[in-house]
Amino acid sequence: MDIFSLKALYRFLLVTTLVAVAAVLSYFYLPERQLSLLPSKVDEYHLFFDAQDGGATNAQWLDENTFQFSCINNGAATNLPYCGISVKIKPPSSQSDFTGFDHIQLSLNYQGANERLRIKMHSYLPPTIASSRREVLKGLDVSFAVQDVNQPIVLNNQIWHQGDEGSFGTKGENLEMDIVLDLVPPFAVGEHILQLQQIVLDGPWISASKWYLAVALCWLLSNLLFFVAFLRKQEKRIRNDSNRLSRLTNYSTNLQQESQHYKLLSSHDPLTNTLNRNGFAEEVMQLFPQGRLKLNTSLIVIDLDNFKAINDKYGHDTGDIVLRESAANMVKNIRVGDRLVRWGGEEFILFCVDTSAQQAQLIAEKIRTSIEKMSINYQQHSIAVTVSLGVGVSSHLEEFDQLFQRTDKALYQAKNMGRNCVVFAE
């Protein structure tokens, strides 16, 4: 089957549409990219605790390389106790911000008696006016029970940037992000061991809008290319069909011409270009379907005199010339509706419809006289030709064979009378 048929076009459109729908739905199953921020992307970090401001809580590193530290509360009353770690994360070198990530995962470890911990994240937006010193702090503050640290803490962009298109960070601002892990007051008395184990950003490799746009463009482009190829194929097919039709038309014309040629050969004598017996029979059948001639149908039987002697003396090629020239001379001396037939050898008949006996005799005499005056020159020889003619006119409803027999007898009488004469059949 032709891949560029109309049926194939519909099938291609259906398949591409189904593939496009499947591609749109597959977006939700695409693998996500991950960006690990700890410790490789940490720009700076520090511990903070209220003992620095006269409080009752101290902090110290247990393993600085793994961001493990302890907060120790001695039990003294403090108005605003605090203790934790602050980590400043810088964007990777491949991008200027953290946009494109949907959520952040934080893996923590805690040992102690406090009931709740807290994660705070924020970034600073620069002033919208260059001369202004006013900055905008955007971020979040999430507290959770210590039982939740058994699994990663997941925060999504709806919490982080509500109302913003994108995700973590501020698009294009090349800003750093601060992440704080601390204890939520009231502090339990004693030692609290905390560790910030891992920070990972998760997000799609490509946004949904870009994915859908790419799918739509691929669908449109593939259909467009196929449709263009389909149109070109159809144009080529139409052109080929047109050429084929032209060739068939020419072939049909040639066949008709050949048919006319063979029809002419079957009905005409090729030497003299006059009707032959087969062609004459068809003419008579068309004129008289019943086989009966009407009155005043004349027949003239013509025979070239001494034609055998011409063949014997000058050869058959000369005889053919004599036959051809004689027939051409006869055609000049007959009427348009008369039918000249080469009956056989050197014998011709002239069939005249609606012709009286007197008219037929005049035509016969005209032919005889014209032939007698004709001179055929061949190889420095001048050949004289004469004809003998028998003339007959049909009686009412007479058959052709009967008329021919009577006329042929008149021809033999003309031969016996010395040739080169006209005899009318009684």
Side-chain angles (χ1 to χ4, degrees):
M1 184 186 70
D2 190 351
I3 63 171
F4 291 103
S5 65
L6 191 59
K7 184 177 180 180
L9 175 63
Y10 294 149
R11 184 182 293 112
F12 183 83
L13 290 175
L14 176 62
V15 170
T16 55
T17 301
L18 292 177
V19 171
V21 172
V24 169
L25 297 178
S26 68
Y27 178 80
F28 301 101
Y29 302 95
L30 294 176
E32 293 188 335
R33 62 171 176 164
Q34 291 187 334
L35 176 63
S36 179
L37 303 179
L38 193 72
S40 60
K41 302 298 184 295
V42 174
D43 190 21
E44 61 181 72
Y45 57 91
H46 66 274
L47 298 177
F48 59 90
F49 47 93
D50 58 59
Q52 296 171 330
D53 297 322
T57 307
N58 283 290
Q60 63 181 2
W61 288 108
L62 299 180
D63 187 349
E64 189 173 355
N65 293 328
T66 60
F67 298 96
Q68 185 180 38
F69 64 96
S70 67
C71 292
I72 302 173
N73 184 3
N74 59 18
T78 305
N79 291 332
L80 294 173
Y82 56 87
C83 183
I85 183 175
S86 175
V87 177
K88 182 174 291 185
I89 306 294
K90 61 182 179 180
S93 58
S94 60
Q95 59 189 71
S96 61
D97 49 47
F98 295 107
T99 57
F101 295 97
D102 290 338
H103 49 269
I104 186 170
Q105 298 184 34
L106 299 98
S107 297
L108 311 175
N109 186 21
Y110 172 72
Q111 300 174 27
N114 213 54
E115 294 183 358
R116 301 188 68 80
L117 302 177
R118 179 169 53 192
I119 292 290
K120 295 189 291 185
M121 295 190 298
H122 64 269
S123 64
Y124 287 96
L125 298 181
T128 56
I129 303 176
S131 59
S132 174
R133 298 182 180 179
R134 182 176 300 173
E135 296 177 339
V136 179
L137 175 65
K138 299 192 69 175
L140 57 81
D141 188 334
V142 180
S143 66
F144 50 90
V146 295
Q147 294 84 353
D148 294 337
V149 301
N150 295 327
Q151 56 187 2
I153 306 299
V154 180
L155 304 177
N156 59 42
N157 64 338
Q158 293 179 348
I159 297 175
W160 175 233
H161 272 187
Q162 293 184 0
D164 284 357
E165 182 181 0
S167 47
F168 296 101
T170 306
K171 185 174 182 180
E173 297 296 343
N174 195 21
L175 297 180
E176 297 179 342
M177 178 170 58
D178 288 337
I179 299 177
V180 174
L181 170 63
D182 64 353
L183 299 171
V184 176
F187 291 175
V189 178
E191 184 178 15
H192 306 269
I193 299 177
L194 297 92
Q195 183 181 14
L196 190 56
Q197 295 177 317
Q198 191 176 33
I199 302 175
V200 178
L201 293 178
D202 292 330
W205 288 98
I206 183 173
S207 66
S209 59
K210 291 181 179 179
W211 177 261
Y212 297 152
L213 178 61
V215 171
L217 290 177
C218 290
W219 177 84
L220 181 62
L221 182 61
S222 61
N223 288 335
L224 181 61
L225 291 177
F226 188 88
F227 188 68
V228 170
F230 175 80
L231 290 180
R232 289 183 176 177
K233 182 69 175 180
Q234 296 304 313
E235 180 184 5
K236 182 178 179 181
R237 176 180 295 172
I238 292 173
R239 187 167 56 251
N240 291 338
D241 289 345
S242 177
N243 293 335
R244 188 180 300 112
L245 180 60
S246 178
R247 289 194 299 269
L248 288 176
T249 301
N250 293 334
Y251 180 69
S252 175
T253 302
N254 293 335
L255 285 179
Q256 291 179 359
Q257 292 175 350
E258 289 184 7
S259 176
Q260 292 294 331
H261 175 68
Y262 288 119
K263 183 178 180 181
L264 183 65
L265 290 178
S266 67
S267 61
H268 285 71
D269 174 54
L271 178 62
T272 62
N273 201 30
T274 59
L275 286 171
N276 57 22
R277 286 197 179 192
N278 183 58
F280 176 67
E282 292 180 1
E283 293 277 346
V284 173
M285 284 298 297
Q286 291 179 3
L287 292 172
F288 307 104
Q290 304 300 324
R292 300 282 183 173
L293 306 178
K294 65 180 182 179
L295 287 175
N296 289 331
T297 299
S298 299
L299 181 65
I300 303 174
V301 181
I302 309 166
D303 188 84
L304 272 65
D305 297 330
N306 301 314
F307 182 74
K308 184 177 181 303
I310 294 175
N311 275 337
D312 293 341
K313 184 175 181 180
Y314 300 106
H316 290 281
D317 290 343
T318 305
D320 289 345
I321 294 174
V322 170
L323 286 173
R324 187 164 55 246
E325 295 293 332
S326 298
N329 188 283
M330 295 178 198
V331 170
K332 294 179 181 178
N333 291 280
I334 63 176
R335 300 169 301 182
V336 176
D338 298 339
R339 292 160 179 83
L340 181 64
V341 184
R342 184 182 179 189
W343 198 248
E346 70 276 16
E347 188 174 47
F348 296 84
I349 66 171
L350 180 62
F351 191 71
C352 306
V353 181
D354 296 327
T355 303
S356 64
Q358 183 179 3
Q359 290 174 324
Q361 290 184 74
L362 290 174
I363 293 172
E365 185 60 30
K366 184 178 180 181
I367 291 173
R368 186 198 68 78
T369 303
S370 180
I371 294 292
E372 184 181 24
K373 294 178 179 179
M374 180 180 66
S375 178
I376 299 176
N377 297 315
Y378 180 74
Q379 295 183 351
Q380 299 180 349
H381 297 287
S382 180
I383 304 173
V385 182
T386 60
V387 293
S388 299
L389 303 93
V391 180
V393 180
S394 66
S395 59
H396 183 59
L397 299 180
E398 184 179 17
E399 294 182 356
F400 173 78
D401 290 343
Q402 295 173 339
L403 176 60
F404 179 80
Q405 291 175 3
R406 291 193 295 110
T407 308
D408 194 47
K409 290 180 180 179
L411 171 65
Y412 278 101
Q413 291 178 12
K415 291 283 188 180
N416 293 330
M417 293 172 58
R419 299 182 175 86
N420 192 22
C421 61
V422 177
V423 176
F424 185 78
E426 298 296 336

